[in-house]
């Protein structure tokens, strides 16, 4: 019995070694991010109807409009961003 988790090759990119698993498969953090982003439904900018681009700076997926540069957040994401910013000592300015 092997008590130590050995590094597995990520099953998604078959390249990165990882100790992490996602849904029972060895998955490196980059691939996990991509999977989560791909699963998020595409959103449309309420201002100009552009499809929002997904960005994932702090494990939080945000939707940004490429046209008006507006950022649209799901409920709860603003709190997660504030926490991430505080832990990194960043200041966030917001117009709500
Ligand atoms: Zn991977
Ligand atoms: Zn827009």
């Amino acid at each position: 019995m092997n008590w130590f988790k050995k590094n597995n090759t990520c099953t998604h990119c078959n390249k990165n070694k990882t100790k992490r698993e996602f849904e029972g498969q060895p998955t490196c953090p980059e691939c996990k991010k991509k999977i989560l982003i791909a699963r998020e439904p595409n959103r449309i900018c309420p201002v100009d109807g552009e499809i929002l681009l997904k960005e994932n700076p702090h494990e939080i997926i945000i939707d940004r409009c490429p046209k008006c540069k507006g950022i649209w957040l799901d409920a709860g994401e603003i709190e997660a961003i504030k926490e991430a910013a505080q832990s990194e000592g960043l200041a966030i300015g917001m117009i709500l």
Side-chain angles (χ1 to χ4, degrees):
M1 183 113 187
N2 186 1
W3 292 99
F4 296 96
K5 262 199 154 176
K6 62 177 180 356
N7 277 331
N8 287 311
T9 305
C10 170
T11 53
H12 300 277
C13 59
N14 283 317
K15 200 171 73 188
N16 294 332
K17 300 275 183 199
T18 183
K19 285 191 180 75
R20 298 209 204 172
E21 284 191 1
F22 178 63
E23 296 179 339
Q25 302 290 333
T27 306
C28 69
E30 291 91 274
C31 287
K32 185 179 173 186
K33 217 183 244 189
K34 281 183 206 153
I35 294 164
L36 292 176
I37 288 176
R39 282 187 188 165
E40 281 253 314
N42 278 333
R43 293 197 172 81
I44 305 292
C45 178
V47 177
D48 46 42
E50 283 289 307
I51 294 172
L52 303 179
L53 301 173
K54 295 185 186 308
E55 297 180 9
N56 182 297
H58 295 285
E59 306 277 309
I60 307 147
I61 298 166
I62 60 173
D63 296 289
R64 185 198 293 273
C65 176
K67 203 164 172 184
C68 67
K69 310 294 180 205
I71 293 174
W72 306 94
L73 300 165
D74 290 335
E77 285 179 342
I78 194 73
E79 277 73 30
I81 286 174
K82 277 188 204 164
E83 276 171 32
Q86 274 165 8
S87 67
E88 296 193 16
L90 301 172
I92 289 189
M94 275 173 291
I95 303 165
L96 293 173

